[in-house]
PDB file of all heavy atoms in Angstrom:
ATOM      1  N   TYR A 338      -1.807 -17.598   1.902  1.00 98.00           N
ATOM      2  CA  TYR A 338      -0.642 -17.335   1.099  1.00 98.00           C
ATOM      3  C   TYR A 338      -0.837 -16.344  -0.010  1.00 98.00           C
ATOM      4  O   TYR A 338      -0.019 -15.377  -0.197  1.00 98.00           O
ATOM      5  CB  TYR A 338      -0.104 -18.631   0.540  1.00 98.00           C
ATOM      6  CG  TYR A 338       1.227 -18.470  -0.197  1.00 98.00           C
ATOM      7  CD1 TYR A 338       2.447 -18.234   0.453  1.00 98.00           C
ATOM      8  CD2 TYR A 338       1.248 -18.568  -1.639  1.00 98.00           C
ATOM      9  CE1 TYR A 338       3.553 -18.027  -0.331  1.00 98.00           C
ATOM     10  CE2 TYR A 338       2.343 -18.433  -2.300  1.00 98.00           C
ATOM     11  CZ  TYR A 338       3.537 -18.167  -1.724  1.00 98.00           C
ATOM     12  OH  TYR A 338       4.727 -17.970  -2.326  1.00 98.00           O
ATOM     13  N   ASP A 339      -1.982 -16.520  -0.723  1.00 98.00           N
ATOM     14  CA  ASP A 339      -2.279 -15.546  -1.767  1.00 98.00           C
ATOM     15  C   ASP A 339      -2.424 -14.111  -1.224  1.00 98.00           C
ATOM     16  O   ASP A 339      -2.067 -13.132  -1.893  1.00 98.00           O
ATOM     17  CB  ASP A 339      -3.425 -15.994  -2.602  1.00 98.00           C
ATOM     18  CG  ASP A 339      -3.062 -17.015  -3.594  1.00 98.00           C
ATOM     19  OD1 ASP A 339      -1.938 -17.255  -3.976  1.00 98.00           O
ATOM     20  OD2 ASP A 339      -4.036 -17.753  -4.073  1.00 98.00           O
ATOM     21  N   ALA A 340      -3.070 -13.988  -0.019  1.00 98.00           N
ATOM     22  CA  ALA A 340      -3.282 -12.684   0.579  1.00 98.00           C
ATOM     23  C   ALA A 340      -1.889 -12.091   0.903  1.00 98.00           C
ATOM     24  O   ALA A 340      -1.718 -10.921   0.634  1.00 98.00           O
ATOM     25  CB  ALA A 340      -4.159 -12.840   1.782  1.00 98.00           C
ATOM     26  N   LEU A 341      -1.006 -12.927   1.398  1.00 98.00           N
ATOM     27  CA  LEU A 341       0.377 -12.365   1.737  1.00 98.00           C
ATOM     28  C   LEU A 341       1.069 -12.014   0.411  1.00 98.00           C
ATOM     29  O   LEU A 341       1.885 -11.064   0.371  1.00 98.00           O
ATOM     30  CB  LEU A 341       1.134 -13.479   2.498  1.00 98.00           C
ATOM     31  CG  LEU A 341       0.617 -13.692   3.904  1.00 98.00           C
ATOM     32  CD1 LEU A 341       1.430 -14.890   4.565  1.00 98.00           C
ATOM     33  CD2 LEU A 341       0.764 -12.545   4.799  1.00 98.00           C
ATOM     34  N   CYS A 342       0.881 -12.821  -0.643  1.00 98.00           N
ATOM     35  CA  CYS A 342       1.493 -12.410  -1.914  1.00 98.00           C
ATOM     36  C   CYS A 342       0.941 -10.995  -2.374  1.00 98.00           C
ATOM     37  O   CYS A 342       1.734 -10.208  -2.962  1.00 98.00           O
ATOM     38  CB  CYS A 342       1.198 -13.445  -2.994  1.00 98.00           C
ATOM     39  SG  CYS A 342       2.017 -15.004  -2.897  1.00 98.00           S
ATOM     40  N   ALA A 343      -0.341 -10.732  -2.077  1.00 98.00           N
ATOM     41  CA  ALA A 343      -0.938  -9.478  -2.434  1.00 98.00           C
ATOM     42  C   ALA A 343      -0.341  -8.290  -1.699  1.00 98.00           C
ATOM     43  O   ALA A 343      -0.534  -7.161  -2.083  1.00 98.00           O
ATOM     44  CB  ALA A 343      -2.484  -9.486  -2.246  1.00 98.00           C
ATOM     45  N   ALA A 344       0.517  -8.596  -0.656  1.00 98.00           N
ATOM     46  CA  ALA A 344       1.102  -7.565   0.096  1.00 98.00           C
ATOM     47  C   ALA A 344       2.658  -7.581  -0.038  1.00 98.00           C
ATOM     48  O   ALA A 344       3.343  -6.885   0.764  1.00 98.00           O
ATOM     49  CB  ALA A 344       0.739  -7.609   1.648  1.00 98.00           C
ATOM     50  N   THR A 345       3.104  -8.459  -0.930  1.00 98.00           N
ATOM     51  CA  THR A 345       4.618  -8.571  -1.075  1.00 98.00           C
ATOM     52  C   THR A 345       4.996  -8.698  -2.579  1.00 98.00           C
ATOM     53  O   THR A 345       5.261  -7.676  -3.182  1.00 98.00           O
ATOM     54  CB  THR A 345       5.209  -9.785  -0.247  1.00 98.00           C
ATOM     55  OG1 THR A 345       4.392 -11.024  -0.631  1.00 98.00           O
ATOM     56  CG2 THR A 345       5.032  -9.571   1.296  1.00 98.00           C
ATOM     57  N   CYS A 346       5.044  -9.886  -2.982  1.00 98.00           N
ATOM     58  CA  CYS A 346       5.591 -10.130  -4.335  1.00 98.00           C
ATOM     59  C   CYS A 346       4.671  -9.626  -5.445  1.00 98.00           C
ATOM     60  O   CYS A 346       5.166  -9.223  -6.531  1.00 98.00           O
ATOM     61  CB  CYS A 346       5.921 -11.619  -4.548  1.00 98.00           C
ATOM     62  SG  CYS A 346       4.518 -12.719  -4.312  1.00 98.00           S
ATOM     63  N   TYR A 347       3.342  -9.651  -5.290  1.00 98.00           N
ATOM     64  CA  TYR A 347       2.465  -9.164  -6.394  1.00 98.00           C
ATOM     65  C   TYR A 347       2.598  -7.634  -6.616  1.00 98.00           C
ATOM     66  O   TYR A 347       2.752  -7.284  -7.733  1.00 98.00           O
ATOM     67  CB  TYR A 347       0.992  -9.537  -6.047  1.00 98.00           C
ATOM     68  CG  TYR A 347       0.633 -10.954  -6.125  1.00 98.00           C
ATOM     69  CD1 TYR A 347      -0.563 -11.436  -5.680  1.00 98.00           C
ATOM     70  CD2 TYR A 347       1.559 -11.917  -6.573  1.00 98.00           C
ATOM     71  CE1 TYR A 347      -0.973 -12.754  -5.808  1.00 98.00           C
ATOM     72  CE2 TYR A 347       1.222 -13.302  -6.706  1.00 98.00           C
ATOM     73  CZ  TYR A 347      -0.089 -13.690  -6.269  1.00 98.00           C
ATOM     74  OH  TYR A 347      -0.403 -15.043  -6.457  1.00 98.00           O
ATOM     75  N   PRO A 348       2.499  -6.764  -5.557  1.00 98.00           N
ATOM     76  CA  PRO A 348       2.694  -5.407  -5.850  1.00 98.00           C
ATOM     77  C   PRO A 348       4.240  -5.175  -6.330  1.00 98.00           C
ATOM     78  O   PRO A 348       4.338  -4.176  -7.139  1.00 98.00           O
ATOM     79  CB  PRO A 348       2.523  -4.677  -4.504  1.00 98.00           C
ATOM     80  CG  PRO A 348       2.471  -5.793  -3.467  1.00 98.00           C
ATOM     81  CD  PRO A 348       2.064  -7.063  -4.198  1.00 98.00           C
ATOM     82  N   ALA A 349       5.202  -5.866  -5.896  1.00 98.00           N
ATOM     83  CA  ALA A 349       6.520  -5.709  -6.382  1.00 98.00           C
ATOM     84  C   ALA A 349       6.540  -6.008  -7.952  1.00 98.00           C
ATOM     85  O   ALA A 349       7.107  -5.239  -8.691  1.00 98.00           O
ATOM     86  CB  ALA A 349       7.500  -6.608  -5.692  1.00 98.00           C
ATOM     87  N   GLU A 350       5.783  -7.050  -8.337  1.00 98.00           N
ATOM     88  CA  GLU A 350       5.763  -7.337  -9.835  1.00 98.00           C
ATOM     89  C   GLU A 350       5.089  -6.183 -10.483  1.00 98.00           C
ATOM     90  O   GLU A 350       5.477  -5.689 -11.564  1.00 98.00           O
ATOM     91  CB  GLU A 350       5.029  -8.608 -10.067  1.00 98.00           C
ATOM     92  CG  GLU A 350       4.849  -9.014 -11.498  1.00 98.00           C
ATOM     93  CD  GLU A 350       3.998 -10.239 -11.648  1.00 98.00           C
ATOM     94  OE1 GLU A 350       3.641 -10.907 -10.739  1.00 98.00           O
ATOM     95  OE2 GLU A 350       3.624 -10.464 -12.809  1.00 98.00           O
ATOM     96  N   HIS A 351       3.909  -5.695  -9.999  1.00 98.00           N
ATOM     97  CA  HIS A 351       3.112  -4.639 -10.637  1.00 98.00           C
ATOM     98  C   HIS A 351       3.952  -3.421 -10.738  1.00 98.00           C
ATOM     99  O   HIS A 351       3.943  -2.728 -11.826  1.00 98.00           O
ATOM    100  CB  HIS A 351       1.900  -4.299  -9.645  1.00 98.00           C
ATOM    101  CG  HIS A 351       1.331  -2.967 -10.031  1.00 98.00           C
ATOM    102  ND1 HIS A 351       0.365  -2.786 -11.063  1.00 98.00           N
ATOM    103  CD2 HIS A 351       1.401  -1.746  -9.459  1.00 98.00           C
ATOM    104  CE1 HIS A 351       0.033  -1.661 -11.147  1.00 98.00           C
ATOM    105  NE2 HIS A 351       0.511  -0.943 -10.202  1.00 98.00           N
ATOM    106  N   MET A 352       4.773  -3.016  -9.793  1.00 97.00           N
ATOM    107  CA  MET A 352       5.593  -1.838  -9.838  1.00 97.00           C
ATOM    108  C   MET A 352       6.913  -2.001 -10.633  1.00 97.00           C
ATOM    109  O   MET A 352       7.700  -1.120 -10.699  1.00 97.00           O
ATOM    110  CB  MET A 352       5.779  -1.257  -8.399  1.00 97.00           C
ATOM    111  CG  MET A 352       4.565  -0.882  -7.732  1.00 97.00           C
ATOM    112  SD  MET A 352       4.814   0.078  -6.155  1.00 97.00           S
ATOM    113  CE  MET A 352       5.436  -1.312  -5.046  1.00 97.00           C
TER     114      MET A 352
END
Side-chain angles (χ1 to χ4, degrees):
Y338 181 72
D339 279 340
L341 293 172
C342 286
T345 53
C346 53
Y347 290 172
E350 179 186 349
H351 165 79
M352 293 190 289

